[in-house]
Amino acid sequence: FRSEEILFSKDLISSDARKIYELGSKIDVLIVVWSNNTLYANMFDERLESYRSLSGATPVLITDFEEIIKQGITKILWSGTESLIAKYKEELKNEDFKNTTFVTSQPIFLEFFNKDVNKGVSLDFIAKSCGIKQEEVVAVGDGLNDYEMIEYAGLGVAMGNACEEIKKIANHITRTND
């Protein structure tokens, strides 16, 4: 595999992507959009700089969201304070998304993606593509976005600082990554 090659992808449906972007635009969150391996953002601030350093991608300012929707959107992320993200996550449970899952990856990030995609599905795809049996797979994680991956792996490892839900399903808990 080449690192730039997209092996598997399922985009958000347009109506859900539009709704997520509109809801995020009404509140105090940075909105990050991934489309065609490009990082787009609704503003440039210290939150974006922090996310950019995590992702390694150079962000592009969103000037026409409808054009990005036409390209296809693999993920939308909201970045805010821990308390605001927790509040919005709870409030969003009442929203009617047609085909979207949302989960915190870190307490300050709320990620939205197609409900048929998660790290477990992706790990299964890669393992099968490489001829690796499920019981031979090791996965390490700490956030709720790692749940299906830890659950899928033959050996699921939770970081010492992982959330309790991940620790409960892991086969092993290791040291913190802090």
Side-chain angles (χ1 to χ4, degrees), residues 17-160:
R18 195 173 288 110
K19 183 175 186 174
I20 294 160
Y21 188 77
E22 289 170 0
L23 288 169
S25 295
K26 295 176 184 175
I27 56 180
D28 184 30
V29 293
L30 166 71
I31 303 171
V32 173
V33 178
W34 283 96
S35 175
N36 290 337
N37 270 348
T38 301
L39 170 68
Y40 295 90
N42 67 326
M43 67 180 86
F44 283 56
D45 64 9
E46 68 281 348
R47 295 174 295 189
L48 180 60
E49 181 54 33
S50 176
Y51 186 77
R52 187 209 57 75
S53 68
L54 287 172
S55 70
T58 302
V60 176
L61 185 64
I62 297 171
T63 56
D64 187 346
F65 189 69
E66 289 302 316
E67 282 302 312
I68 299 172
I69 286 177
K70 288 177 189 173
Q71 294 173 177
I73 295 174
T74 51
K75 177 170 75 172
I76 297 176
L77 176 141
W78 288 357
S79 177
T81 65
E82 192 172 331
S83 60
L84 285 176
I85 291 299
K87 175 185 173 224
Y88 299 144
K89 182 180 175 188
E90 193 59 37
E91 288 176 4
L92 286 170
K93 290 178 181 176
N94 299 321
E95 291 293 333
D96 181 30
F97 293 110
K98 294 176 178 39
N99 198 28
T100 297
T101 295
F102 55 93
V103 64
T104 52
S105 54
Q106 292 186 20
I108 60 168
F109 297 147
L110 185 58
E111 299 188 12
F112 302 83
F113 45 88
N114 185 299
K115 72 173 181 62
D116 296 327
V117 177
N118 61 57
K119 289 183 181 183
V121 170
S122 300
L123 193 55
D124 179 56
F125 177 84
I126 291 169
K128 287 177 178 169
S129 297
C130 295
I132 299 170
K133 297 176 187 165
Q134 183 176 354
E135 59 269 16
E136 298 173 321
V137 173
V138 177
V140 181
D142 60 357
L144 287 175
N145 63 330
D146 297 321
Y147 190 96
E148 291 85 359
M149 176 181 72
I150 299 292
E151 193 173 54
Y152 168 84
L155 177 62
V157 180
M159 299 306 300

